Amino acid sequence: MSMDMTTDATAVGDTGLLDTLQHEVALFARRAEQTRLGGVGQVRNSMDRAAYLLLNRLDKEGPMGVKALASSMGIDSSTVTRQVAPLVDTGLVKRTSHPEDGRAVVLQLSPRGQSRLEEVRASRRQLMAELTHDWAPEEREAFCALLTRFNGALSTRMSVQGTPGPEGQPAS
């Protein structure tokens, strides 16, 4: 049975549980932003959310134009252009000409960007290991599956409402 988006969520579930869930999500969002989930070790291992998501997308999907990257991330082209500029300036992303249309620009992860992304990923993996060191493997898997499902539902809800998904939130 699917819940209509206009249905009051408290009518279908435990109000106390839903209050706890929304509070814990709010705390998580604040703590994640405060630490930028930078991992462990030196402060230099942190990276703002927008940069991390853009570099990650270019790493996973390969070189692409601004429009394709924006579409892939569920954000508009002007946001991608604005967020990519400092990554180009610092040498983490390269702008190259499209092989078939020399007028079009293709964004590509640079070797320096790849190295920096791996450094941040390793640091974040270590942080996740530390935060969940006393969890059973099944608990880690369940948390990951539920968080992935939660993010998917949030992204779907936001796209239905015509607003950018979590990846499209502006960096602070």
Side-chain angles (χ1 to χ4, degrees), residues 34-71:
Q34 285 172 336
T35 64
R36 298 211 185 263
L37 285 180
V40 296
Q42 301 177 16
V43 174
R44 67 183 178 79
N45 283 336
S46 87
M47 177 181 285
D48 81 43
R49 179 183 59 237
Y52 181 75
L53 292 170
L54 284 166
L55 294 178
N56 228 3
R57 186 65 54 138
L58 288 172
D59 182 46
K60 290 182 180 188
E61 296 185 20
M64 66 180 76
V66 170
K67 284 183 181 179
L69 183 56
S71 175

Side-chain angles (χ1 to χ4, degrees), residues 49-123:
R49 179 183 59 237
Y52 181 75
L53 292 170
L54 284 166
L55 294 178
N56 228 3
R57 186 65 54 138
L58 288 172
D59 182 46
K60 290 182 180 188
E61 296 185 20
M64 66 180 76
V66 170
K67 284 183 181 179
L69 183 56
S71 175
S72 170
M73 295 184 69
I75 58 180
D76 63 69
S77 296
S78 64
T79 301
V80 167
T81 300
R82 187 175 58 255
Q83 292 176 348
V84 160
L87 300 176
V88 171
D89 292 344
T90 56
L92 300 177
V93 171
K94 296 188 307 187
R95 280 189 180 119
T96 58
S97 296
H98 191 283
E100 296 163 11
D101 179 0
R103 298 167 296 167
V105 173
V106 174
L107 301 170
Q108 179 177 350
L109 196 60
S110 71
R112 181 173 180 211
Q114 183 69 53
S115 174
R116 181 76 176 104
L117 182 59
E118 288 304 322
E119 179 183 73
V120 171
R121 279 181 181 156
S123 181

Side-chain angles (χ1 to χ4, degrees), residues 94-158:
K94 296 188 307 187
R95 280 189 180 119
T96 58
S97 296
H98 191 283
E100 296 163 11
D101 179 0
R103 298 167 296 167
V105 173
V106 174
L107 301 170
Q108 179 177 350
L109 196 60
S110 71
R112 181 173 180 211
Q114 183 69 53
S115 174
R116 181 76 176 104
L117 182 59
E118 288 304 322
E119 179 183 73
V120 171
R121 279 181 181 156
S123 181
R124 289 179 176 195
R125 271 193 301 273
Q126 187 177 350
L127 176 62
M128 293 301 112
E130 285 181 15
L131 293 175
T132 63
H133 77 277
D134 59 346
W135 295 20
E138 307 81 50
E139 290 175 311
R140 283 180 177 176
E141 289 172 13
F143 182 71
C144 188
L146 290 170
L147 190 56
T148 299
R149 184 174 166 191
F150 182 83
N151 279 329
L154 186 58
S155 183
T156 298
R157 186 177 199 298
M158 294 180 84

